[in-house]
Amino acid sequence: MGIREAYVGEYASGKSEYAINRALSLCGGGEEVTLVDLDLVEPFYTLRPLREELSAVGLTVIARDSRETAGLGETGNIFEPSARFSLLRPGHVVLDVGYGAYGGRVLNLLEGYPHPDLRVFVVVNAARPFTATPEKIVQFVRTFDRVDGLVSNSNLGDDTDLEVIRHGNEIVRAAARALNLPVVAAAADERFRRDLGDGEGLGAPVVYLKRFMHRAFR
Amino acid sequence: MQRTLPFSENRVFVTGNEAVAWAALAAGADIMFGYPITPQNEIMHYWTRLAPAYGKKFLQTEDELSAGFTTIGGVLAGRKAFSATAGPGTVLFQEPVTMAEMMRIPMVVIIQQRGGPSTATVIYSQQEVNLAAFGGNGEGWRVVYSTANHQELYDYTIKAFNVAWTYRFPVFVLGDGYQAKMRESLVMYDPASRGMELAPAEAVVGKPGRPGSSRPAVHLRNAFSVEEELYESIMPGEEEFRSMARRVVEHDEEGTRGAELVIISHGVVSRAAVAAIKRLKEKGIKAGYFRPVTIRPFPEEALQRAVALCPRLLVVESALGQLARLVKEALFNRPVESFDTIFRPGVGITAEELVEAVIKIRQGGTTCV
């Protein structure tokens, strides 16, 4: 049975970026890897522009094309059937769940949920004001029905520096301790590979991210 | 309940809508009245997340007309009230906004432009320039700030509250869906820590005392009996608008002296213009850039000075000539050597396209279609 992982989190926490990179890291093992865009509120701003590029490198991407979308955000959207049944697909499935805690409820709509193998991770960027302290992160994570771990992903986009990553990581670790949850990964833009190396001192396996999402907004 | 802002000169990573919600808090806003519409929804969402912790209020109204009039009600009660909207919502806001113009009520409304006409797209556009600047029945007595990035969304939202409450004209902050949803870093600050004084709010209704005897009566009118009565009200209002305009008008400009051509744009498109003139410079081509920061009042004199230095113009916007119309009016009777345009209603414009366009114009071509 393949991996079943859902990435949830605060708006603009880096969920999609992390989910894309995670899905890509699973490619090449012989099993099909499916990346599912589960932003029902605003599918226009998420994986849509990247679908072709990601499909070209072997990912199966379930995201509506702009011309396939019906509904306009506030008026609701039609749930893509292949997304609804995505937990039942063969191979590995990575879910990119949009729109914060409310978006997390979309999992209830999936066929096969609750799934025994599904693990839910909250992606946390401590440079986001609503998740800027351990207390705020704890409060935020508790709004989700179920969480299996945190992904530390503190960044300021193009303005990220090592201090932002390291300081943010400490905040996320403190929150994880309070929540009694593991930090499953410390994520950083791949341009910090030379500085962070194997991630010693970060307290979690370092995962270097290739950035895709900035192009979704161009 | 927290009373002080949780940040002091912190660099944070936010969406544009979130920047606006925090800026409203920093500007001392007391209450938001709103009706949901993409792409401004997260202004409401974030405000409602902030409100309980900071003793602020929110009311979701039944539509944008109501959101506008309840905002006015909040202001009359002495609260710093504001709202946010987009597209067809901006159309409905015109009636309350003209009431604010006529009765000289301070009011702040954030507009995150989406495609038009009508429902169109929820994504992006610059098609609400006409509406924001001149959408009401009247003379357009409003201030319109067109922002280009998250720092400006934050800075100009704070400024909007101050200008509204200082001069008692409604103020729009004109963003767009790209700015609303984009994520970038900015420095959030408490205005007090930078020595900025926030204009105080004052109640118009419900004051203690007896109007007309123990205190002066307040009689704000938006209806008049005869033509002359209206005329006598409008003319001093216009004089006050013009006097305010001289103090409030803003623009941004770079490299217009000695330039072969000036790119004129506003809002998020001016990011592409700034990037384009940099790339053109690397190619040895000197292009300038001019951007009205206030769409209303329009920086006419500054544009006239820029065009006197370089009379070849390229106007670019994600609309079919709404900015260009303001540019032409500002340049009426001024000599212009060339006037090219890129009009892309509801679609973004990149630096690469602008570089290509400038090269084409230099070679004797035109970008006009």
Side-chain angles (χ1 to χ4, degrees):
Chain A
M1 192 68 186
I3 282 167
R4 300 277 176 276
E5 290 175 352
Y7 291 92
V8 300
E10 169 72 36
Y11 205 59
S13 60
K15 300 176 293 287
S16 298
E17 201 77 87
Y18 193 85
I20 292 169
N21 278 270
R22 174 63 174 154
L24 287 172
S25 75
L26 295 168
C27 282
E31 294 215 60
E32 184 179 4
V33 183
T34 305
L35 175 64
V36 188
D37 184 348
L38 277 184
D39 187 340
L40 279 193
V41 185
E42 291 179 329
F44 326 97
Y45 297 100
T46 55
L47 294 179
R48 154 177 86 84
L50 304 168
R51 186 165 76 163
E52 264 180 46
E53 179 183 347
L54 296 173
S55 301
V57 294
L59 269 184
T60 301
V61 181
I62 298 180
R64 283 186 186 272
D65 189 76
S66 52
R67 289 180 198 285
E68 296 165 6
T69 54
L72 292 157
E74 67 272 14
T75 57
N77 282 289
I78 295 167
F79 195 10
E80 167 71 30
S82 56
R84 182 179 155 194
F85 289 90
S86 56
L87 278 180
L88 307 178
R89 294 179 68 88
H92 305 304
V93 179
V94 176
L95 308 172
D96 170 18
V97 185
Y99 231 79
Y102 297 107
R105 293 184 190 154
V106 75
L107 293 173
N108 292 320
L109 300 176
L110 297 183
E111 289 296 320
Y113 181 84
H115 192 285
D117 299 328
L118 179 67
R119 306 221 301 153
V120 180
F121 301 115
V122 182
V123 180
V124 184
N125 179 356
R128 307 264 306 117
F130 277 99
T131 49
T133 63
E135 298 73 33
K136 285 180 174 175
I137 296 169
V138 168
Q139 203 179 0
F140 176 69
V141 170
R142 288 196 172 135
T143 59
F144 291 92
D145 292 342
R146 92 162 257 199
V147 174
D148 296 282
L150 306 185
V151 172
S152 170
N153 186 40
S154 295
N155 73 89
L156 289 170
D158 290 342
D159 301 321
T160 310
D161 60 26
L162 281 173
E163 176 56 21
V164 169
I165 298 171
R166 289 192 196 279
H167 179 63
N169 188 58
E170 288 309 312
I171 292 170
V172 176
R173 285 175 75 183
R177 280 193 295 275
L179 288 159
N180 199 23
L181 286 170
V183 178
V184 294
D189 188 309
E190 61 184 352
R191 73 177 198 269
F192 294 102
R193 192 182 289 271
R194 195 186 297 175
D195 298 302
L196 293 172
D198 60 3
E200 202 187 325
L202 292 175
V206 65
V207 172
Y208 290 106
L209 302 179
K210 186 177 173 198
R211 288 175 67 198
F212 291 90
M213 290 306 289
H214 61 298
R215 276 178 285 143
F217 284 90
R218 275 191 182 166
Chain B
M1 193 186 300
Q2 288 171 267
R3 287 292 179 194
T4 52
L5 295 172
F7 41 79
S8 51
E9 302 287 330
N10 264 0
R11 188 163 278 279
V12 294
F13 191 63
V14 296
T15 66
N17 281 334
E18 193 178 353
V20 169
W22 283 103
L25 184 74
D30 298 300
I31 182 165
M32 178 181 189
F33 297 91
Y35 183 76
I37 188 163
T38 311
Q40 73 79 19
N41 288 323
E42 295 85 21
I43 297 177
M44 287 169 42
H45 295 174
Y46 278 104
W47 179 260
T48 53
R49 284 172 72 177
L50 289 169
Y54 293 91
K56 306 297 184 182
K57 304 279 185 198
F58 174 79
L59 180 70
Q60 179 172 328
T61 56
E62 68 265 39
D63 59 25
E64 286 89 349
L65 274 174
S66 176
F69 284 117
T70 47
T71 301
I72 288 175
V75 173
L76 292 178
R79 303 294 187 274
K80 282 198 180 169
F82 76 107
S83 193
T85 192
T90 314
V91 176
L92 290 180
F93 255 91
Q94 295 303 326
E95 191 186 349
V97 167
T98 52
M99 187 194 211
E101 289 175 328
M102 188 78 254
M103 293 165 73
R104 297 294 303 280
I105 295 164
M107 187 176 183
V108 171
V109 182
I110 317 302
I111 299 172
Q112 299 289 29
Q113 296 170 93
R114 55 188 263 169
S118 189
T119 305
T121 72
V122 300
I123 304 172
Y124 163 77
S125 192
Q126 291 191 316
Q127 293 169 285
E128 292 171 52
V129 167
N130 290 348
L131 256 187
F134 293 107
N137 64 328
E139 308 300 332
W141 285 347
R142 66 273 300 268
V143 175
V144 182
Y145 288 110
S146 173
T147 60
N149 56 48
H150 288 17
Q151 190 65 59
E152 288 189 357
L153 275 173
Y154 190 84
D155 296 345
Y156 283 100
T157 298
I158 293 172
K159 202 177 230 184
F161 278 92
N162 260 5
V163 166
W165 265 267
T166 301
Y167 299 105
R168 292 184 295 119
F169 286 106
V171 182
F172 286 123
V173 177
L174 189 66
D176 58 68
Y178 285 170
Q179 292 186 68
K181 302 289 177 174
M182 225 161 43
R183 298 98 206 261
E184 64 186 13
S185 80
L186 75 136
V187 176
M188 287 190 184
Y189 52 86
D190 181 343
S193 72
R194 292 193 176 185
M196 291 170 71
E197 261 181 59
L198 300 177
E202 191 191 342
V204 173
V205 294
K207 283 180 168 179
R210 190 183 165 92
S213 53
S214 69
R215 66 171 169 87
V218 179
H219 188 204
L220 303 180
R221 297 179 68 184
N222 69 336
F224 298 87
S225 306
V226 295
E227 301 96 311
E228 290 76 11
E229 210 181 6
L230 171 67
Y231 181 84
E232 280 161 22
S233 168
I234 284 185
M235 296 315 284
E238 177 68 12
E239 194 42 56
E240 285 182 46
F241 184 81
R242 286 181 191 179
S243 150
M244 176 276 299
R246 284 191 286 277
R247 276 169 276 176
V248 162
V249 69
E250 274 187 55
H251 78 287
D252 191 18
E253 180 177 352
E254 197 182 317
T256 41
R257 188 177 294 274
E260 292 182 36
L261 179 142
V262 175
I263 302 174
I264 302 175
S265 58
H266 77 98
V268 79
V269 174
S270 49
R271 293 166 72 129
V274 170
I277 65 165
K278 203 177 288 175
R279 286 181 208 178
L280 286 161
K281 196 175 173 188
E282 288 160 11
K283 293 177 191 288
I285 301 169
K286 198 161 181 319
Y289 140 87
F290 186 94
R291 165 194 167 207
V293 174
T294 47
I295 292 290
R296 174 89 177 140
F298 198 80
E300 294 182 356
E301 288 173 16
L303 181 62
Q304 289 162 4
R305 284 194 299 272
V307 171
L309 294 171
C310 173
R312 300 191 69 187
L313 310 179
L314 170 61
V315 183
V316 295
E317 58 181 305
S318 296
L320 273 171
Q322 301 195 20
L323 171 66
R325 182 182 294 138
L326 298 173
V327 169
K328 286 179 207 163
E329 193 197 340
L331 298 178
F332 178 70
N333 236 0
R334 305 270 163 165
V336 169
E337 274 177 33
S338 67
F339 194 94
D340 279 270
T341 58
I342 297 176
F343 295 158
R344 202 74 62 73
V347 179
I349 296 167
T350 64
E352 291 81 0
E353 289 171 298
L354 295 184
V355 169
E356 209 175 289
V358 170
I359 290 171
K360 190 173 166 189
I361 294 165
R362 281 180 95 231
Q363 291 165 348
T366 176
T367 59
C368 299
V369 285

